[in-house]
Amino acid sequence: MEDGRIRRIRGDRMNMHSYRDLKEKVIDNGYCIGCGACLSADGVNGTNELDSYGMFKPSFNDLDAPISDVCPFFTSRNESELGEMLFSGFEGIKQNEFLGYYIETYAGYVRKDDFRKRGSSGGFVTWILSRLLEERLIDAVIHVKPSGKKGILFEYGISSDLEELRKGAKSKYYPVEFSEVLAEVRKTRKKYAFVGVPCFVKAMRLLCINDKEFADRVSSFVGLVCGHLKSSRFSEMLAWQKGVKPEDLRGIDFRWKYPSGPASEYGIKISGEKNGEMVTITEKANSFYGYNWGYGFFKYKACDYCDDVVSETADVSVGDAWLPEYLNDSGGTNVVIVRNPVIKKIVDLGIKESTLKLDVLDPEEIVKSQEGGFRHRKDLLVYRIALLKNHGIWFPQKRVEPSLDNLDIRYRKITFLRTQLAEKSHLAFKEALRTDDFEVFQEQMQSLVEKYDSLYKRSFASKALSKIKRFFRSE
């Protein structure tokens, strides 16, 4: 027997709009994340290719072609509504303003085998996927792994065994799309797990709502905590400044672990041709110009209009435990948010068998571990959409209300500079490519970088002064 919720979902499958609507509102205004969901809908013909800025952009054969309600930045369905639909009926489920629904929250890592060593952090993502495969709950995994295509470093692919699965371990700060791989999924009757950043997981959930073939095939969702998505120029920038030109870059590890030191002090490993020879260069991440995540170099504009940090529509979400008690462990530590009882059962067994070392963590500690991300996607988002509303510019529906009064002057400046840094980085790197000179990029970015850094230097100085004042008052 169907309940009202199921009937409502099926009715919404008839909620269609055209590519022209999507193009004018989302794509032309820069809110497209390039995921390929719009191209994955049944019967839609088009392409999704990297543009001159290194970002995926879809195009359709027919501007008036109907497109199902699958775009994460055009749908009226937000993550809270989807979360309620997916998880609210589970026994023991709770809800948090920032994390969405959850059964339990943890911090820790995988003890056994080399899952942790091979991962960017605690190794949990690859481990949980391997367990889903071993228990035959799924037949294969849809995830990002190294590409065999010329000029493309990473792409979505399908893995059906542990050896293949391991190739997808570690974070990839790189543009990807899934329409091509979903075309292969349609041809099978297998059960899949899908892995992605928040907007990609949301898009895949919407596809499952609107398309029975995907609903029958994609049964598990593993979400990644996300700061923002980068264009392909980010990896090229990192390589070029170390002497490997963009066209000569062959591979990159964004999270190379050192055997000791804080988990946050990881390296970047670059493989490519330099002066006609194949080289591998590994250096500390903080030695690279433009790596500071706050700068937002090569960020998709869509990321500034997303309010989901932790993949609220995923069965389980995984990120880095950026908390003082875990930072000194160079092996890396995950935060884990479990929403599905099937995942909870697997995790409980992993803890019992000592395969997992997980501490039950208060949800507010998870929020603290991603404090900067939540500030940018909540408080600063309120101000960003208020500016657009004030100018009569369309923006995606969000779960926060616009306000021009919620930020102090410093954070207003930070908001403006982050937008300028992201926009300028795309243009400046394009000019550097045209002139074949990396220094052109640095020269064009430097004044904005210095302005941005000065706001944080003042902040640190203010905090230090406040501490001194408190000390003398206590004396």
Side-chain angles (χ1 to χ4, degrees):
M1 173 182 273
E2 295 183 345
D3 63 18
R5 185 170 58 189
I6 299 293
R7 284 196 298 271
R8 187 181 76 238
I9 292 165
R10 290 186 177 171
D12 282 351
R13 287 176 182 160
M14 301 305 293
N15 180 17
M16 308 285 277
H17 46 269
S18 71
Y19 171 69
R20 190 184 304 278
D21 301 326
L22 189 70
K23 180 179 184 299
E24 290 176 354
K25 292 286 182 67
V26 178
I27 299 171
D28 290 351
N29 283 313
Y31 301 117
C32 176
I33 199 66
C35 65
C38 54
L39 285 162
S40 303
D42 192 23
V44 178
N45 295 310
T47 60
N48 197 16
E49 297 177 348
L50 288 173
D51 65 12
S52 60
Y53 298 102
M55 297 183 283
F56 278 103
K57 183 176 288 187
S59 62
F60 285 69
N61 297 343
D62 181 5
L63 276 175
D64 296 312
I67 303 172
S68 300
D69 183 27
V70 297
C71 174
F73 290 93
F74 202 31
T75 181
S76 60
R77 242 194 216 110
N78 63 44
E79 289 80 356
S80 297
E81 181 185 348
L82 290 171
E84 181 183 5
M85 180 192 83
L86 295 164
F87 309 120
S88 63
F90 292 144
E91 184 179 350
I93 199 75
K94 294 161 282 219
Q95 193 173 12
N96 178 276
E97 177 187 357
F98 297 98
L99 309 182
Y101 288 88
Y102 69 97
I103 296 174
E104 194 60 271
T105 51
Y106 307 91
Y109 54 86
V110 184
R111 289 179 187 267
K112 294 190 176 179
D113 298 323
D114 58 354
F115 289 102
R116 191 187 192 196
K117 182 180 179 181
R118 286 173 175 261
S120 293
S121 197
F124 185 88
V125 171
T126 305
W127 178 83
I128 193 66
L129 292 168
S130 72
R131 293 299 301 147
L132 290 170
L133 283 170
E134 287 170 17
E135 296 190 18
R136 300 185 183 277
L137 294 170
I138 59 171
D139 302 301
V141 177
I142 304 165
H143 64 143
V144 178
K145 52 187 184 177
S147 171
K149 296 176 183 175
K150 185 177 180 181
I152 302 291
L153 298 182
F154 303 101
E155 64 182 348
Y156 263 99
I158 296 173
S159 297
S160 54
D161 58 52
L162 183 56
E163 184 178 349
E164 279 296 311
L165 188 61
R166 288 184 188 278
K167 294 178 181 178
K170 290 205 170 187
S171 301
K172 287 96 175 171
Y173 308 130
Y174 196 84
V176 289
E177 72 92 46
F178 53 61
S179 65
E180 187 174 329
V181 76
L182 290 189
E184 296 301 312
V185 170
R186 277 196 190 277
K187 297 174 184 177
T188 74
R189 293 196 176 276
K190 294 180 178 180
K191 289 286 186 183
Y192 296 87
F194 179 84
V195 185
V197 293
C199 56
F200 279 51
V201 174
K202 180 182 179 182
M204 195 66 236
R205 287 288 197 186
L206 291 169
L207 276 167
C208 289
I209 289 171
N210 284 274
D211 193 314
K212 189 176 185 301
E213 285 191 341
F214 289 135
D216 290 343
R217 290 162 175 74
V218 185
S219 58
S220 300
F221 294 78
V222 177
L224 309 174
V225 173
C226 180
H228 57 261
L229 188 63
K230 299 286 194 183
S231 81
S232 63
R233 303 309 185 202
F234 180 64
S235 54
E236 292 170 3
M237 174 198 71
L238 298 173
W240 200 358
Q241 63 190 272
K242 301 300 179 181
V244 177
K245 289 190 171 185
E247 65 271 21
D248 295 327
L249 178 61
R250 299 291 179 266
I252 186 166
D253 183 343
F254 296 99
R255 298 283 295 271
W256 178 260
K257 289 181 179 178
Y258 289 103
S260 61
S264 56
E265 293 184 7
Y266 47 82
I268 298 173
K269 184 178 180 180
I270 293 164
S271 302
E273 289 186 35
K274 182 177 180 180
N275 301 323
E277 296 183 359
M278 284 299 298
V279 297
T280 298
I281 301 166
T282 306
E283 294 186 18
K284 286 282 184 73
N286 59 16
S287 75
F288 287 78
Y289 179 80
Y291 191 79
N292 183 326
W293 216 250
Y295 295 161
F297 282 7
F298 311 106
K299 174 171 55 179
Y300 275 69
K301 179 181 174 180
C303 299
D304 275 345
Y305 299 91
C306 170
D307 57 8
D308 182 2
V309 175
V310 296
S311 293
E312 294 175 45
T313 63
D315 295 309
V316 59
S317 299
V318 187
D320 290 289
W322 300 128
L323 293 166
E325 58 266 42
Y326 300 109
L327 278 180
N328 287 329
D329 189 338
S330 62
T333 306
N334 287 128
V335 289
V336 180
I337 306 165
V338 176
R339 302 186 182 89
N340 188 301
V342 175
I343 301 294
K344 179 67 164 61
K345 185 178 178 181
I346 294 172
V347 169
D348 286 344
L349 183 61
I351 295 171
K352 183 179 179 180
E353 294 176 342
S354 296
T355 300
L356 300 177
K357 168 66 173 72
L358 291 180
D359 304 323
V360 174
L361 211 61
D362 187 284
E364 293 307 315
E365 290 300 301
I366 303 283
V367 175
K368 285 180 184 177
S369 76
Q370 312 300 324
E371 188 175 24
F374 282 115
R375 185 184 304 113
H376 187 78
R377 305 280 188 95
K378 301 291 185 181
D379 299 338
L380 274 62
L381 175 60
V382 166
Y383 187 68
R384 286 194 297 273
I385 62 176
L387 291 171
L388 295 179
K389 184 179 180 180
N390 206 36
H391 288 86
I393 300 172
W394 183 89
F395 55 88
Q397 291 185 34
K398 296 290 103 186
R399 293 173 290 174
V400 294
E401 290 298 320
S403 174
L404 293 171
D405 304 317
N406 72 313
L407 298 179
D408 61 25
I409 293 175
R410 175 174 169 268
Y411 269 112
R412 289 180 191 181
K413 290 180 179 179
I414 287 171
T415 302
F416 275 117
L417 281 168
R418 284 181 177 175
T419 300
Q420 290 177 311
L421 282 161
E423 291 176 352
K424 185 68 174 179
S425 66
H426 298 296
L427 298 171
F429 200 80
K430 191 174 184 179
E431 181 63 15
L433 288 172
R434 189 189 68 80
T435 58
D436 193 29
D437 186 353
F438 181 75
E439 288 187 5
V440 168
F441 173 75
Q442 288 181 293
E443 289 168 3
Q444 292 195 18
M445 297 304 301
Q446 196 54 32
S447 64
L448 287 174
V449 167
E450 289 173 1
K451 287 178 183 177
Y452 184 85
D453 287 345
S454 70
L455 290 172
Y456 280 89
K457 286 175 183 176
R458 276 195 211 115
S459 174
F460 296 145
S462 298
K463 288 178 182 177
L465 184 60
S466 295
K467 285 182 180 178
I468 292 170
K469 288 179 178 178
R470 284 198 301 271
F471 173 79
F472 283 110
R473 280 199 298 268
S474 66
E475 290 293 301

